[in-house]
Amino acid sequence: MMPCYQLPISQMRRFGLALMLPAALLGAFTFPTQLQTATAQTSEANRPLTIRADVQEYDAKNQVITARGNVQMLYPSRQLQATSAQAQYFSKERRIDFTGNVYILQQGGNSIRAEKVTYLIDEGRFVALPQSNRQVESIYMIQESENNAQTAAPAPQTPAFKPSN
């Protein structure tokens, strides 16, 4: 075999291309440059659920989508938006598990912040868990009617704090 410095330039380019092509393809699949998007169809009236993330995997046997990295979920029919580090959509169980700095916003301003949140789609119910030694934060927008605001009794006085000896 000839040393590479004696090969014609065209052969050196082909050889370089042959080495670079597999590396480039591997890099494109291992380190995607764009967010991947998955749209799942729920069984009820084909309502779309869109999930965007850095990486997504689909387990066809168990029908589970796992999204990791900068996860964003949009579920317009339920008026929900969510962000987290990871999300798993279990289509058979009709459940979404969010983990890692979870923030869920519902149209109208209601929101939840937690380390882990499970959303039970059919029940429209959230189960939120905090990080250790922390708490879950929920914000609910409550509409006061004019009649209730005028007739509502004032809140009772909170007793003063008395330190124990």
Side-chain angles (χ1 to χ4, degrees):
M1 181 169 182
M2 261 196 229
C4 66
Y5 62 86
Q6 292 181 346
L7 290 174
I9 290 180
S10 64
Q11 286 183 332
M12 286 176 48
R13 285 186 181 150
R14 276 190 239 138
F15 181 69
L17 182 60
L19 288 176
M20 293 300 291
L21 187 59
L25 289 173
L26 179 63
F29 289 113
T30 306
F31 305 106
T33 56
Q34 296 179 349
L35 292 177
Q36 295 183 6
T37 302
T39 301
Q41 296 292 326
T42 62
S43 63
E44 189 177 300
N46 290 333
R47 298 175 178 178
L49 164 70
T50 303
I51 299 173
R52 291 185 176 91
D54 293 337
V55 177
Q56 293 190 31
E57 299 171 10
Y58 178 64
D59 178 349
K61 180 180 178 184
N62 296 312
Q63 296 181 6
V64 176
I65 295 172
T66 302
R68 290 186 193 91
N70 301 309
V71 177
Q72 299 172 3
M73 183 201 75
L74 183 60
Y75 197 0
S77 65
R78 298 291 172 111
Q79 301 174 342
L80 294 175
Q81 296 177 31
T83 60
S84 65
Q86 177 174 307
Q88 288 188 293
Y89 172 57
F90 298 84
S91 60
K92 287 180 183 177
E93 294 89 1
R94 296 185 43 79
R95 178 183 95 222
I96 305 169
D97 289 344
F98 298 96
T99 54
N101 196 25
V102 180
Y103 179 68
I104 298 175
L105 177 64
Q106 190 173 24
Q107 186 175 9
N110 297 341
S111 66
I112 296 174
R113 283 189 189 276
E115 182 60 22
K116 181 176 180 177
V117 175
T118 297
Y119 177 53
L120 305 168
I121 295 171
D122 291 334
E123 297 175 33
R125 187 167 67 110
F126 296 94
V127 179
L129 301 172
Q131 288 181 334
S132 62
N133 300 322
R134 303 281 310 261
Q135 293 182 313
V136 172
E137 176 186 271
S138 296
I139 298 174
Y140 299 99
M141 303 306 290
I142 300 172
Q143 298 290 330
E144 295 288 338
S145 69
E146 289 185 30
N147 292 340
N148 285 346
Q150 293 172 357
T151 60
Q157 286 288 353
T158 305
F161 177 71
K162 295 179 185 177
S164 60
N165 292 335

